[in-house]
Amino acid sequence: MNVPRSQTIDLQDGDALIIVDVQNDFLPGGALAVRNGDEVVPALNTYIDLFLTEGLPIIATRDWHPANHCSFQAQGGPWPPHCIADTHGARFAAGLRLPPDTAVISKAVAPDKDAYSGFAGTELEAVLRSHGVRRVFVGGLATDYCVLNTVRDALENRYQVYVLGDAIRAVNVHPGDGDKAMQDMIVKGAMIITIEHLA
Ligand SMILES: [Zn+2]
């Protein structure tokens, strides 16, 4: 559901911020650019400040592919080469103010497996468990792929999920994909909020 504007949410122990794939290749000018993807950066910085102030965990996921990754067109996959490990394209957006103790989760690191979800084949679930996390606040790129699948898995793993509606952008390979993803997340139990809900 969309949380009504009048309702505020107090951050508390057990909350965590998950920033999905805010990497150069997904920003305008990148190998797999998301339209207006750069607009999530200032929005996420505001959320980062709030979570930092409360001493709550901040987690950043990233695509971290080998050069011959199966999702690349040369290997028969759907995408141009992107987010190759240790390249400029794989780096987090320069303007994103990730604190030094951010937990970085690398995904799809082996040639033969892709991962849209931050939970797929990673230590994300273990990291959340180690912090006693119950509610996750998810923003980043892109709404219709890695945000969607990370949110789905978080719900399946029984976390309460808030999607940061003002800190996500969609690829929209097919027109409407982003809207469909929002609907899907809402139907599965995610709540859509914006910064006003936390301020
Ligand atoms: Zn990828």
Side-chain angles (χ1 to χ4, degrees):
M1 58 178 278
N2 287 295
V3 176
R5 263 296 144 86
S6 55
Q7 194 178 321
T8 56
I9 296 156
D10 290 322
L11 291 177
Q12 58 196 42
D13 279 353
D15 290 344
L17 177 61
I18 301 180
I19 296 172
V20 176
D21 296 12
V22 182
Q23 297 168 267
N24 289 325
D25 272 342
F26 296 129
L27 301 180
L32 189 40
V34 177
R35 197 162 165 258
N36 300 325
D38 52 333
E39 292 175 2
V40 305
V41 172
L44 286 167
N45 282 338
T46 310
Y47 286 102
I48 287 170
D49 288 344
L50 286 176
F51 278 73
L52 256 184
T53 303
E54 299 293 328
L56 296 168
I58 297 170
I59 295 147
T61 70
R62 62 182 183 186
D63 259 6
W64 200 246
H65 299 320
N68 62 342
H69 190 246
C70 63
S71 75
F72 299 168
Q73 280 147 357
Q75 271 65 244
W79 305 116
H82 63 277
C83 298
I84 295 171
D86 290 314
T87 64
H88 172 78
R91 259 179 230 132
F92 292 120
L96 189 66
R97 293 199 304 265
L98 290 174
D101 60 347
T102 300
V104 174
I105 303 288
S106 300
K107 61 188 171 67
V109 299
D112 57 333
K113 275 210 185 87
D114 203 8
Y116 290 147
S117 164
F119 289 91
T122 73
E123 66 277 28
L124 177 54
E125 168 67 8
V127 168
L128 294 175
R129 217 176 316 121
S130 75
H131 286 285
V133 171
R134 292 177 299 275
R135 306 194 300 183
V136 294
F137 295 72
V138 184
L141 301 170
T143 309
D144 36 355
Y145 288 92
C146 293
V147 170
L148 170 65
N149 285 280
T150 300
V151 165
R152 276 182 180 158
D153 280 353
L155 289 164
E156 252 173 49
N157 290 331
R158 301 186 176 277
Y159 293 97
Q160 191 170 340
V161 180
Y162 294 96
V163 176
L164 310 179
D166 49 355
I168 54 175
R169 292 294 182 277
V171 180
N172 285 318
V173 170
H174 308 288
D177 278 357
D179 292 337
K180 252 188 268 170
M182 295 296 278
Q183 243 0 81
D184 186 7
M185 292 189 281
I186 290 169
V187 165
K188 290 190 163 66
M191 280 176 286
I192 314 296
I193 63 166
T194 58
I195 194 70
E196 289 82 12
H197 291 101
L198 298 181

